[in-house]
Amino acid sequence: MELTDWKNLPFGYIKTDYNIRCYYRHGNWGELEISSDDHLNIHMAATCLHYGQQAFEGMKAFMGKDGKIRLFRWQENARRMTRSAEGIFMAPFPEDLFKKAIEKAVLLNRHFVPPHGTGAALYIRPLLIGTGAEVGVKPANEYMFVVFVTPVGPYFKEGFNPVRIAIEKDSDRAAPLGTGHLKVGGNYAASLRGIMKVVKAGYSSPMYLDAKEKRYIDEIGAANFFGIKNNTYITPRSDSILPSITNKSVMTLAEDMGLRVECRPVEVEELESFEEAGACGTAAIIAPIGEVHDLETGKTIIYGKDGKPGPVSTSIYKKLTGIQFGDIEDKFGWMEIIG
Ligand code: PLP
Ligand code: COI
């Protein structure tokens, strides 16, 4: 694809010039290394390949009107990667090195940062994998950290337009005492059954319910869920969802806009009472939900009568992206200019 067509970028992989790597051997992390190869050479018995010792992150760099590149709340991603690593017994990647690595990856590929005004951003994908060879089920003694970047548009092809969601009851992405709160590959493998089912039926993403009772809303594929009613921003509290940095930020913005914020178990039954609903995440940004369909009962809930995003979701979207692209004052100190 032409790299001038920034406004129509898909959410996919486009090769950039450099990626950054770092190796953990004999109990220590080494120096950051720059590579222009987009393949990895790893042992066939590496634990990431057999036993899912793998964690990743998703974050973005944004181009401001001033031509400066900004990172959004990178410390939160660094901490979450540490929690993911510890959760599946991998060597955590030091947070100062994490910052240096992502900064290097972005700046070495700066001509891939989409221009201001296109709505696109440079997606940053840090990855931590067990590379030590094991055959028994145990943590590796060698690890590799890699970070690559790729320019992306919004995750849902609809962009900031209502998406259609289907409730998934035939599979679970995460168990109550499992790894749903960590950003580890196994959760995404488990989510593929639900995703493929609902995509085939014409929906953008599944809505996962709590695995135990199928009574509460967990999340929307690779994004958190929110509902709006009575001047209140409501988002599920659950041990099996990924604590979204976007959602955490939106809760702060909502409060600042004068909304009440509730983070609590949200019953599926409550869906009908929302005035607006949406999904949020780094990749999804803010995706307004136009419809939630229950494939089992055939019941459909529609949000908004005119097929447009609701007013509260629109304000949240504008505030969040305004801060990220440097168009609105960053009063919470979320952005860091790196070059
Ligand atoms: N939930 C899941 C399962 C995700 O993969 C993501 C993406 O990272 C999110 C929610 C949103 O989290 P964040 O806003 O930190 O990107
Ligand atoms: C993100 O929002 O960064 C994600 O990681 C979503 C994704 C798995 C595509």
Side-chain angles (χ1 to χ4, degrees):
M1 72 144 259
E2 274 272 335
L3 254 188
T4 47
D5 199 12
W6 298 105
K7 282 195 172 153
N8 294 311
L9 273 182
F11 188 91
Y13 180 77
I14 293 169
K15 187 176 178 358
T16 54
D17 292 342
Y18 300 103
N19 57 80
I20 308 297
R21 298 157 182 221
C22 192
Y23 299 90
Y24 179 89
R25 293 183 188 119
H26 312 296
N28 291 305
W29 284 101
E31 302 282 313
L32 298 181
E33 296 174 18
I34 300 170
S35 173
S36 52
D37 187 354
D38 55 359
H39 289 80
L40 306 178
N41 184 9
I42 57 171
H43 196 288
M44 62 186 175
T47 60
C48 65
L49 299 178
H50 298 257
Y51 305 129
Q53 264 206 315
Q54 184 273 13
F56 67 102
E57 269 305 322
M59 47 206 293
K60 280 175 175 169
F62 302 87
M63 179 65 79
K65 218 184 277 173
D66 52 9
K68 294 193 174 133
I69 301 169
R70 295 155 163 79
L71 291 179
F72 179 68
R73 307 193 78 173
W74 66 267
Q75 300 90 336
E76 296 282 339
N77 295 87
R79 276 181 219 134
R80 191 169 63 188
M81 186 167 240
T82 298
R83 292 199 302 272
S84 297
E86 288 170 347
I88 57 167
F89 294 88
M90 298 198 290
F93 191 58
E95 292 172 15
D96 56 331
L97 268 186
F98 180 96
K99 167 71 182 326
K100 283 192 188 124
I102 55 172
E103 197 168 323
K104 243 188 212 302
V106 172
L107 295 179
L108 286 171
N109 292 294
R110 64 176 306 141
H111 60 286
F112 288 100
V113 184
H116 184 268
T118 58
L122 189 71
Y123 189 69
I124 307 168
R125 174 53 67 87
L127 173 71
L128 179 62
I129 55 175
T131 49
E134 297 291 347
V135 182
V137 181
K138 61 175 114 148
N141 52 20
E142 292 189 356
Y143 293 87
M144 179 179 190
F145 173 88
V146 190
V147 56
F148 69 81
V149 297
T150 193
V152 294
Y155 192 60
F156 295 119
K157 65 175 183 344
E158 289 83 351
F160 186 63
N161 284 304
V163 293
R164 298 170 72 222
I165 301 297
I167 298 175
E168 167 59 356
K169 292 181 187 159
D170 298 334
S171 66
D172 297 311
R173 73 171 276 285
L177 296 174
T179 56
H181 60 298
L182 307 175
K183 204 159 168 65
V184 298
N187 299 333
Y188 297 82
S191 75
L192 285 174
R193 219 167 96 199
I195 292 173
M196 296 316 283
K197 185 178 104 182
V198 308
V199 165
K200 200 171 157 201
Y203 295 86
S204 291
S205 184
M207 170 182 280
Y208 284 103
L209 306 182
D210 80 280
K212 208 168 172 180
E213 294 184 84
K214 297 274 182 280
R215 180 170 160 199
Y216 300 100
I217 300 171
D218 256 1
E219 56 186 333
I220 307 286
N224 278 184
F225 171 83
F226 66 86
I228 310 280
K229 68 176 169 189
N230 307 326
N231 201 40
T232 310
Y233 178 91
I234 300 160
T235 190
R237 180 193 298 281
S238 157
D239 290 339
S240 51
I241 68 180
L242 188 76
S244 155
I245 296 156
T246 312
N247 199 7
K248 182 176 176 177
S249 311
V250 169
M251 285 190 254
T252 302
L253 292 176
E255 216 154 54
D256 192 57
M257 286 160 60
L259 274 82
R260 279 185 301 274
V261 172
E262 294 177 7
C263 182
R264 57 162 170 82
V266 181
E267 293 203 24
V268 198
E269 293 295 313
E270 202 175 336
L271 277 173
E272 273 181 274
S273 67
F274 292 127
E275 295 150 18
E276 295 178 37
C280 62
T282 300
I285 318 175
I286 304 290
I289 295 176
E291 175 185 332
V292 178
H293 181 70
D294 188 331
L295 291 166
E296 203 178 87
T297 63
K299 190 169 155 184
T300 302
I301 299 163
I302 307 277
Y303 297 101
K305 291 175 195 70
D306 51 4
K308 294 209 179 91
V312 178
S313 307
T314 305
S315 305
I316 290 173
Y317 173 79
K318 285 190 176 155
K319 279 250 159 77
L320 177 70
T321 53
I323 292 174
Q324 291 176 328
F325 285 105
D327 296 326
I328 294 181
E329 188 205 345
D330 172 28
K331 70 184 212 186
F332 305 104
W334 290 338
M335 307 308 295
E336 184 170 330
I337 293 178
I338 56 165

